[in-house]
Amino acid sequence: MLTSRTFVKRTRAGAVVKVVREHYLREDIACGAAACRLCPPATGTASAPGLEARPSGASSSLCPGPHFLLPDTNLLLHQIDVLEDPVIKNVIVLQTVLQEVRNRSAPVYKRIRDMIQNPEKHFYSFTNEHHRETYIEQNRGETSNDRNDRAIRVAVNWYNEHLKNIEDEEKIQVIFLTNDRTNKEKALEEGITAYTCEEYIKSLTANPELVDRLACVSDEGKEIESGKIIFPEHIPLSKLQQGIKSGVYLQGTFRASRENYLEATVWVHGDAEENREIIVQGLKHLNRAVHEDVVAVELLAKNEWVAPSSVVLQDDGQNEDDIENEEEKENILKTAVNKDMLRPTGKVVGIIKRNWRPYCGMLSKSQIKEARRHLFTPADRRIPRIRIETRQAETLEGQRIIVAIDGWPRNSRYPNGHFVKNLGSAGDKETETEVLLLEHDVPHQAFSQAVLSFLPKMPWSITEEDMKHREDLRHLNVCSVDPPGCTDIDDALHCREIENGNVEVGVHIADVSHFIRPGNALDEESVKRGTTVYLCEKRIDMVPELLSSNLCSLRSNVDRLAFSCIWEMNHKAEILKTRFTKSIINSKASLTYAEAQMRIDSATMNDEITTSLRGLNRLAKILKKKRIENGALTLSSPEVRFHMDSETHDPIDLQTKELKETNSMVEEFMLLANISVAQKIYDEFPEFALLRKHPAPPPSNYDILVKAAKSKASFYHNLEIKTDSAKALAESLDKAESPTFPYLNTLLRILTTRCMMQAVYFCSGMDNDFHHYGLASPIYTHFTSPIRRYADIIVHRLLAVAIGADSTYPELTDKHKLADLCKNLNYRHKMAQYAQRASVAFHTQLFFKTKGVVNEDAYILFVRKNAIVVLIPKYGLEGTVFFEEKDKPTPKLDYNNEVPSLTVEDTTLHVFDKVKVNITLDDSNIQHQKMRMVLVEPKILGKDVPANPSTETSSENEPEKKKKK
């Protein structure tokens, strides 16, 4: 059966065209009920079997008989956490509802699709818009929303009539769930059994804990507001869009501060020259925006502009109605500053898009006896506390839980939310690891059967088909050099002299793209993960272990498939020829950096592998010298290594990583391979090469570095940092040496790293700036780690097509899809870095838990108005020493931003000063355990500075980690 709709529309050129939309209706669409004999078998898969013959699940006091549930759109959007509970089964999801959800929330849509695919949930997607008896036309004057509500009620009525044909003692009923008062009233008038979500959930008397998971929203999905108004009203979206178009408002991403809960910045969207940050200060100006929301801001008059705050302020959880206390704190921010330090300042006037997610944290139980309303404190300091209602406060105290935000009314100091899930006891290693993975959005679930089904069947061996378009390089003396314990070996090297006197050097990379074919479930899962995440005691693989640690890993003495980049060089490391080939190799040795270094340094070892390593090392030194002469930066980042107890897996020792010549050797050839491949794929595919760039930092980024160097210029000669170019910066850093202060140069390089921008992936056809600032290279990509980075797999596919070793596919040559892929990879890469740092921070706390009190030398990295940030070289640990303590007298503080320095009583502390600090673990707040640091030397007024809780061991501004295995 066919129905059609005809309308006219005007094209961009101004012509009027007639459009006919055909809509096919069918009679053979199954209702999904297993007991129904009238319908054809449901077209679901074995993994999504549809509705049960005898609906099981929780017993309801409102509808004791067997029943299916049919929710409307708003209920699915707002109550998804309740619906995901295992108790809720046999739910009919209409096509009308699914399409609306898809348009309004991609994350919720995905969660619904997952439930439909889950055989234990018995969720069934019914295509009501194409069923002859459930499709309806939109009436004249009827809104789309009203039409969809009517379509849902028609489907409920059809189901109830249809299910009467099932021969059973007890008839199955379809219950309509809606929080829309009008829709519910109309349903009841039509004889439909309808309840709100709260009514139905409260009727499940055997499952009272489900009530806690109800979202706190009104009948229209709006926030409930009453009482004293705290915040300004948000301007409606339609007016915001007009204001943005006319330039009255600016649109940007809201980024809350970790150090000061009364300050945020809004990164304004737009062209590169328009990209700028706007400071927002004060509770009312922040106006209920949450970290990562897309907001509209209105710029304040220039005489109201402020400077970024140097005060560290944390929400101490006072009475949520105590707004006067907040105003006092806001006054602390308003101090006289140099006009040059003022930045564009604004206020949030509306929310364009909420980017809320489920948040991990802990319950701050109310002191009122038998209270149901409590404050939840998120683990992420950038997220405000959330007010929830729960009857499980006693049980949840001391537990890590997940909470979702429902809304933020104007009358509430904090947003409203609801309990989602209990993760386990705070402090437990497994629980804390789960928290940091969830908080950093790291996909870490086990690989599904659908993904694993695309792995090679074991035992696996190389076939004649695999050898097509491949060179046999098994005769070469190839070896790998990696950190100890590395199992995902994705690169190997060889070096040999050839007949004409030149040198042949090869970089051989695991051919992961041979095993992961475009578009299958294994490929899609790899795209979603984007990167392998390395935590202190576990690894979250991007690809299944069979590939990462076995078939793709270039282990010694086994045949492996590789993608090789081979150069002919002269002895000055000048490249004469470059070629790329798919290959088969057999590594002769899997070495650690220390083992490779020992071979190079040994006077007695002269075997072929050792000779190859010496040749590689000699050439690498020349390549590095050339890079540095071209302006490449050699920066510094304190990296730590934990030694774990073999039984408890707790850290028993902590030390900074020692880098050897062989680390640099491997790095140089990886860089060279990446640059060579980047040029090749760009030459072949100028519009859709996946490249990596490192933007030059804006001059203002270097302010802290230049000021720090100036403050020490009178003490040390040649201490002038030039930032005109990467080459000038590199040269000035090389000159900044002091025999009396050997650590000065390392500190300057650490500080320089903090000034850098993040390197990002991009599509060559969507950008004009290819330059990699840190490497001083005009073009760059990632080719050398396909086991742990999805970007490298795409680069392998492009290179394979370029040399005729593989065929292309549509997505590979679509620059818009490639740009979207790059956006996801950049996000995954950033989140992986943050998760790694959080893991280091947690294991550092475990280490100091057993160490007790420790006094160590430290250097001042930054000074704040009320604190100093120090680096402890022995542990690669960074922390904050505060000079203010709650309920104790504050010492006299004088902050000078120009020098920069902080005078505490009569003692002045400068950046890079050497100090001694006392380190202990402060576990008084189990949610935010901290490394507590107190200044021991220099003494302030002949005594230690008052001990204030607090520092966190990780910094959001830490540099990009070096290659980790």
Side-chain angles (χ1 to χ4, degrees):
M1 184 177 174
L2 171 69
T3 181
S4 62
R5 189 160 64 95
T6 305
F7 59 94
V8 293
K9 71 171 187 177
R10 191 179 294 278
T11 66
R12 285 184 182 179
V16 175
V17 295
K18 182 179 178 182
V19 178
V20 178
R21 287 263 168 87
E22 294 183 339
H23 190 90
Y24 288 87
L25 301 179
R26 299 169 58 169
E27 295 178 328
D28 59 349
I29 296 172
C31 70
C36 180
R37 298 290 173 263
L38 295 178
C39 291
T43 54
T45 62
S47 63
L51 306 163
E52 290 179 294
R54 292 287 300 164
S56 63
S59 175
S60 166
S61 59
L62 286 175
C63 16
H67 57 272
F68 300 143
L69 300 176
L70 196 154
D72 70 359
T73 306
N74 271 339
L75 195 133
L76 267 183
L77 284 166
H78 297 290
Q79 306 294 352
I80 184 72
D81 291 321
V82 172
L83 295 174
E84 281 182 325
D85 193 278
V87 167
I88 306 299
K89 297 180 179 181
N90 294 293
V91 176
I92 300 163
V93 183
L94 297 181
Q95 180 189 2
T96 307
V97 171
L98 205 53
Q99 285 174 342
E100 280 196 282
V101 170
R102 186 176 192 174
N103 293 333
R104 290 168 62 180
S105 174
V108 174
Y109 175 76
K110 185 188 179 302
R111 288 165 74 180
I112 295 167
R113 297 298 313 179
D114 288 345
M115 284 193 285
I116 291 169
Q117 291 300 315
N118 182 350
E120 295 176 3
K121 289 290 286 177
H122 296 282
F123 273 49
Y124 180 70
S125 175
F126 178 61
T127 319
N128 65 306
E129 294 291 353
H130 289 276
H131 195 289
R132 184 172 64 85
E133 294 183 45
T134 56
Y135 172 75
I136 61 166
E137 294 278 0
Q138 185 171 345
N139 295 332
R140 188 180 294 276
E142 187 177 39
T143 66
S144 295
N145 190 54
D146 287 345
R147 181 263 168 205
N148 288 345
D149 285 347
R150 186 162 59 88
I152 294 168
R153 296 195 301 274
V154 166
V156 178
N157 266 321
W158 177 83
Y159 256 104
N160 278 321
E161 286 299 315
H162 180 77
L163 295 177
K164 286 177 182 176
N165 295 301
I166 295 176
E167 295 178 6
D168 204 322
E169 290 179 12
E170 287 188 279
K171 295 301 178 189
I172 299 173
Q173 191 179 13
V174 173
I175 307 296
F176 179 38
L177 295 184
T178 178
N179 284 346
D180 184 329
R181 189 185 299 115
T182 307
N183 203 6
K184 183 187 172 188
E185 286 171 358
K186 287 182 178 177
L188 292 172
E189 286 171 10
E190 294 172 18
I192 295 170
T193 305
Y195 300 110
T196 65
C197 192
E198 185 175 357
E199 287 170 341
Y200 181 77
I201 294 302
K202 284 183 175 177
S203 78
L204 306 179
T205 50
N207 303 88
E209 74 284 353
L210 279 183
V211 175
D212 288 355
R213 301 182 72 172
L214 286 169
C216 181
V217 288
S218 68
D219 64 335
E220 293 292 333
K222 295 174 184 172
E223 299 157 5
I224 304 164
E225 292 189 356
S226 62
K228 182 182 174 184
I229 301 300
I230 299 171
F231 297 99
E233 189 174 1
H234 285 149
I235 294 170
L237 187 59
S238 56
K239 288 186 178 178
L240 287 179
Q241 288 167 336
Q242 290 171 12
I244 291 165
K245 205 170 184 180
S246 62
V248 175
Y249 307 130
L250 297 167
Q251 176 177 322
T253 303
F254 183 87
R255 289 181 180 149
S257 166
R258 286 180 187 275
E259 295 187 329
N260 185 341
Y261 76 100
L262 291 175
E263 181 173 274
T265 54
V266 174
W267 182 257
V268 177
H269 304 165
D271 298 329
E273 64 270 12
E274 291 179 20
N275 274 342
R276 62 186 186 276
E277 283 188 331
I278 294 172
I279 294 174
V280 183
Q281 276 187 2
L283 206 59
K284 291 182 180 176
H285 284 175
L286 295 172
N287 198 6
R288 298 170 285 156
V290 177
H291 183 65
E292 292 295 341
D293 282 350
V294 179
V295 301
V297 289
E298 182 179 1
L299 273 177
L300 301 178
K302 282 199 172 182
N303 61 357
E304 294 183 72
W305 285 13
V306 299
S309 171
S310 298
V311 175
V312 178
L313 276 182
Q314 290 170 359
D315 188 353
D316 52 16
Q318 73 287 340
N319 185 330
E320 60 181 283
D321 299 320
D322 188 5
I323 300 304
E324 289 179 12
N325 193 335
E326 303 290 355
E327 289 169 357
E328 283 177 25
K329 290 187 178 182
E330 287 178 26
N331 289 331
I332 297 172
L333 306 179
K334 298 170 185 174
T335 53
V337 291
N338 188 318
K339 281 187 178 179
D340 294 337
M341 294 170 63
L342 298 177
R343 297 284 183 269
T345 308
K347 61 181 180 181
V348 174
V349 294
I351 308 294
I352 293 164
K353 186 189 176 192
R354 289 290 194 190
N355 278 321
W356 295 339
R357 59 177 175 82
Y359 301 103
C360 299
M362 293 183 71
L363 197 68
S364 303
K365 189 167 166 280
S366 172
Q367 299 304 308
I368 302 168
K369 195 176 180 183
E370 295 184 9
R372 286 192 186 176
R373 292 171 69 176
H374 308 271
L375 282 178
F376 162 83
T377 305
D380 187 342
R381 291 192 182 278
R382 296 170 298 184
I383 307 301
R385 282 179 162 83
I386 302 166
R387 188 175 60 192
I388 69 168
E389 288 193 23
T390 179
R391 306 175 189 201
Q392 306 177 66
E394 294 288 340
T395 309
L396 297 179
E397 201 171 10
Q399 301 288 299
R400 288 284 198 176
I401 63 173
I402 298 177
V403 161
I405 297 178
D406 300 324
W408 196 340
R410 292 173 62 201
N411 67 307
S412 175
R413 167 67 183 83
Y414 298 111
N416 295 325
H418 64 273
F419 167 76
V420 176
K421 186 181 180 184
N422 184 354
L423 295 172
S425 299
D428 175 76
K429 201 185 298 181
E430 288 299 317
T431 302
E432 295 301 330
T433 301
E434 178 75 5
V435 167
L436 75 87
L437 290 172
L438 289 168
E439 277 298 287
H440 296 98
D441 195 17
V442 175
H444 58 285
Q445 68 283 1
F447 289 100
S448 68
Q449 282 305 122
V451 170
L452 298 175
S453 68
F454 285 95
L455 292 175
K457 300 296 180 280
M458 298 299 287
W460 174 84
S461 61
I462 296 170
T463 64
E464 284 186 23
E465 185 65 26
D466 295 331
M467 289 302 296
K468 282 185 179 177
H469 309 294
R470 238 174 242 287
E471 277 190 52
D472 191 340
L473 303 179
R474 284 176 285 191
H475 61 285
L476 295 176
N477 290 301
V478 172
C479 69
S480 61
V481 184
D482 292 284
C486 176
T487 60
D488 54 342
I489 303 171
D490 42 23
D491 56 81
L493 299 151
H494 88 270
C495 175
R496 63 172 182 170
E497 281 209 14
I498 48 180
E499 291 175 358
N500 61 8
N502 290 328
V503 181
E504 180 188 87
V505 176
V507 166
H508 310 277
I509 307 300
D511 190 4
V512 182
S513 63
H514 174 83
F515 297 96
I516 301 180
R517 303 308 296 165
N520 67 24
L522 177 56
D523 185 46
E524 287 173 0
E525 183 66 23
S526 304
V527 173
K528 178 182 157 190
R529 296 185 179 221
T531 181
T532 293
V533 181
Y534 295 90
L535 306 182
C536 290
E537 59 170 323
K538 71 188 292 188
R539 188 178 79 201
I540 313 298
D541 282 325
M542 180 184 80
V543 299
E545 191 178 12
L546 179 65
L547 296 183
S548 65
S549 296
N550 188 351
L551 301 185
C552 291
S553 184
L554 303 182
R555 301 186 300 184
S556 56
N557 303 314
V558 288
D559 292 349
R560 287 290 178 259
L561 301 179
F563 211 146
S564 301
C565 174
I566 300 171
W567 302 279
E568 183 180 331
M569 296 180 175
N570 60 25
H571 289 272
K572 295 179 183 177
E574 294 168 337
I575 297 172
L576 307 174
K577 290 179 187 173
T578 305
R579 68 188 181 90
F580 307 97
T581 178
K582 290 230 175 186
S583 60
I584 175 170
I585 65 167
N586 187 299
S587 172
K588 303 300 184 283
S590 299
L591 306 173
T592 64
Y593 289 117
E595 288 168 347
Q597 191 66 54
M598 185 191 69
R599 280 173 175 259
I600 290 169
D601 297 339
S602 170
T604 57
M605 297 186 75
N606 292 297
D607 57 276
E608 290 176 319
I609 289 294
T610 304
T611 305
S612 176
L613 286 169
R614 287 180 184 141
L616 289 166
N617 198 39
R618 185 183 65 78
L619 292 168
K621 288 177 181 176
I622 301 170
L623 289 169
K624 186 172 184 177
K625 186 170 179 287
K626 284 181 185 175
R627 272 200 314 112
I628 291 170
E629 285 171 358
N630 288 336
L633 296 173
T634 306
L635 301 180
S636 185
S637 161
E639 286 191 60
V640 297
R641 179 182 294 282
F642 292 94
H643 294 278
M644 300 290 187
D645 185 285
S646 59
E647 291 184 10
T648 65
H649 299 290
D650 287 337
I652 53 175
D653 194 14
L654 169 64
Q655 56 190 176
T656 50
K657 291 183 182 177
E658 181 190 351
L659 297 179
K660 301 183 181 295
E661 267 187 11
T662 45
N663 290 78
S664 178
M665 176 190 81
V666 172
E667 183 184 9
E668 286 306 315
F669 286 107
M670 296 306 114
L671 294 175
L672 189 62
N674 286 336
I675 291 167
S676 298
V677 171
Q679 192 61 58
K680 177 68 176 177
I681 62 173
Y682 177 65
D683 290 344
E684 291 289 332
F685 310 112
E687 284 295 298
F688 39 84
L690 191 154
L691 302 176
R692 187 165 176 83
K693 68 173 180 177
H694 183 211
S700 61
N701 277 30
Y702 289 121
D703 286 352
I704 183 69
L705 175 66
V706 172
K707 285 178 182 177
K710 275 184 182 175
S711 72
K712 293 294 181 187
S714 58
F715 299 97
Y716 307 105
H717 297 298
N718 300 324
L719 192 54
E720 182 187 5
I721 301 297
K722 296 178 181 177
T723 59
D724 313 4
S725 65
K727 188 171 174 61
L729 176 61
E731 287 173 351
S732 58
L733 284 171
D734 288 341
K735 290 177 184 175
E737 297 280 0
S738 168
T740 59
F741 186 9
Y743 203 65
L744 173 68
N745 192 265
T746 302
L747 288 169
L748 283 166
R749 291 183 192 277
I750 289 171
L751 212 53
T752 304
T753 307
R754 307 297 171 88
C755 302
M756 293 296 117
M757 303 290 282
Q758 186 79 28
V760 291
Y761 298 111
F762 69 101
C763 173
S764 59
M766 305 289 279
D767 207 321
N768 295 320
D769 178 20
F770 293 8
H771 191 73
H772 197 292
Y773 180 81
L775 297 174
S777 176
I779 194 166
Y780 192 67
T781 193
H782 273 163
F783 163 75
T784 54
S785 295
I787 292 177
R788 64 187 183 94
R789 291 187 306 230
Y790 189 79
D792 302 53
I793 293 177
I794 294 294
V795 170
H796 276 227
R797 289 173 182 171
L798 287 165
L799 184 60
V801 175
I803 65 171
D806 207 343
S807 54
T808 187
Y809 58 99
E811 287 77 12
L812 194 64
T813 54
D814 184 327
K815 64 181 182 181
H816 297 285
K817 287 189 176 175
L818 202 57
D820 289 340
L821 172 65
C822 289
K823 188 177 177 182
N824 175 60
L825 294 178
N826 290 330
Y827 171 73
R828 291 296 176 201
H829 182 76
K830 181 175 70 174
M831 287 296 110
Q833 284 184 314
Y834 294 165
Q836 285 160 205
R837 291 172 204 166
S839 180
V840 169
F842 175 63
H843 281 79
T844 302
Q845 291 166 8
L846 288 179
F847 172 71
F848 279 100
K849 196 170 188 175
T850 56
K851 286 287 283 186
V853 180
V854 177
N855 285 356
E856 291 293 346
D857 289 337
Y859 294 96
I860 299 175
L861 274 184
F862 306 101
V863 292
R864 304 279 186 244
K865 280 187 179 177
N866 58 347
I868 57 172
V869 179
V870 298
L871 174 73
I872 298 151
K874 181 175 178 180
Y875 298 122
L877 179 65
E878 188 179 315
T880 307
V881 178
F882 288 97
F883 297 110
E884 291 179 336
E885 188 168 3
K886 195 177 179 183
D887 303 328
K888 287 193 179 180
T890 301
K892 181 184 171 187
L893 301 173
D894 184 12
Y895 172 71
N896 184 339
N897 184 60
E898 292 302 312
V899 175
S901 67
L902 177 67
T903 302
V904 187
E905 297 293 353
D906 296 329
T907 304
T908 302
L909 303 168
H910 296 87
V911 171
F912 298 160
D913 279 358
K914 187 175 182 179
V915 295
K916 190 178 282 280
V917 293
N918 173 287
I919 315 165
T920 54
L921 175 67
D922 176 11
D923 56 5
S924 57
N925 180 345
I926 196 167
Q927 159 87 332
H928 290 122
Q929 293 190 37
K930 304 160 189 163
M931 301 314 303
R932 184 174 187 252
M933 294 194 186
V934 180
L935 196 65
V936 176
E937 293 177 11
K939 301 269 187 183
I940 306 297
L941 290 178
K943 61 178 183 176
D944 292 353
V945 172
N948 185 357
S950 111
T951 183
E952 293 197 30
T953 58
S954 61
S955 163
E956 202 56 48
N957 298 318
E958 280 192 349
E960 186 173 334
K961 299 277 186 190
K962 291 187 178 72
K963 179 181 177 184
K964 289 181 74 178
K965 290 286 180 182

